[in-house]
């Protein structure tokens, strides 16, 4: 975990084939939220992207480096004091050439907060 104690993984479940659902809890008291933003904490987009990478690494048991990202859509602010519980749907496709394609949708309650497609290289 790049940011120690930033979030806790509650579960990662293989739902069907290459599809997984992860449940995480953000640590509302983490240092990141003291600067982003004082009095109105918002989960930084780059931190969400890192969480997606780390969850993917755990699923495939390999270290990854981002090759490219597209279709990054931040659709709602994630305030860890209001909505610390997140659900992340991941479709993870490992190619023969070693690249890993990930499609993600992240939610709190019924609200879509993030949609993201990435390609990673295995390290």
């Amino acid at each position: 975990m790049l940011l120690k104690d930033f979030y806790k993984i509650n579960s990662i479940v293989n739902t069907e084939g290459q599809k997984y659902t992860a449940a995480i809890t953000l640590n509302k008291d983490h240092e990141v939220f003291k600067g982003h933003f004082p009095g109105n904490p918002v989960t930084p987009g780059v931190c969400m992207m890192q969480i997606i990478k780390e969850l993917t690494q755990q699923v495939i048991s390999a270290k990854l480096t981002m090759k490219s990202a597209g279709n990054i859509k931040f659709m709602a602010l994630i305030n860890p004091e209001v909505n610390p519980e997140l659900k992340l749907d991941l479709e993870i496709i490992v190619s023969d050439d070693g690249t890993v394609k990930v499609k993600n949708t992240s939610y709190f309650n019924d609200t879509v907060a993030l949609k993201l497609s990435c390609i990673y290289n295995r390290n």
Side-chain angles (χ1 to χ4, degrees), residues 3 6 32-33 36 42-49 51 74 78:
L3 291 173
F6 185 69
V32 165
F33 297 117
H36 200 270
V42 175
T43 305
V46 69
C47 292
M48 286 302 300
M49 293 173 70
I51 290 169
F74 295 98
I78 302 171

Side-chain angles (χ1 to χ4, degrees), residues 37-58:
F37 297 95
N40 188 28
V42 175
T43 305
V46 69
C47 292
M48 286 302 300
M49 293 173 70
Q50 181 67 24
I51 290 169
I52 293 163
K53 175 185 157 189
E54 290 174 2
L55 292 172
T56 302
Q57 289 179 143
Q58 185 162 334

Side-chain angles (χ1 to χ4, degrees), residues 1-8 25-31 33:
M1 188 177 297
L2 187 62
L3 291 173
K4 184 172 174 27
D5 299 324
F6 185 69
Y7 67 99
K8 178 180 86 171
T25 303
L26 297 173
N27 176 3
K28 67 180 179 59
D29 297 319
H30 195 275
E31 284 291 315
F33 297 117

Side-chain angles (χ1 to χ4, degrees), residues 19-119:
K19 296 182 180 182
Y20 297 82
T21 297
I24 67 168
T25 303
L26 297 173
N27 176 3
K28 67 180 179 59
D29 297 319
H30 195 275
E31 284 291 315
V32 165
F33 297 117
K34 292 178 181 165
H36 200 270
F37 297 95
N40 188 28
V42 175
T43 305
V46 69
C47 292
M48 286 302 300
M49 293 173 70
Q50 181 67 24
I51 290 169
I52 293 163
K53 175 185 157 189
E54 290 174 2
L55 292 172
T56 302
Q57 289 179 143
Q58 185 162 334
V59 166
I60 68 167
S61 299
K63 294 287 185 185
L64 301 170
T65 302
M66 184 181 290
K67 180 178 179 179
S68 64
N71 282 334
I72 304 170
K73 295 180 184 177
F74 295 98
M75 303 169 81
L77 297 175
I78 302 171
N79 180 330
E81 292 180 351
V82 177
N83 297 297
E85 306 290 327
L86 302 178
K87 180 180 95 169
L88 294 89
D89 289 335
L90 303 160
E91 182 176 5
I92 302 170
I93 300 168
V94 180
S95 301
D96 291 337
D97 67 359
T99 59
V100 179
K101 296 179 184 179
V102 178
K103 289 184 183 178
N104 164 260
T105 304
S106 298
Y107 307 84
F108 56 84
N109 301 321
D110 292 328
T111 301
V112 175
L114 168 64
K115 288 187 174 188
L116 168 75
S117 296
C118 286
I119 299 174

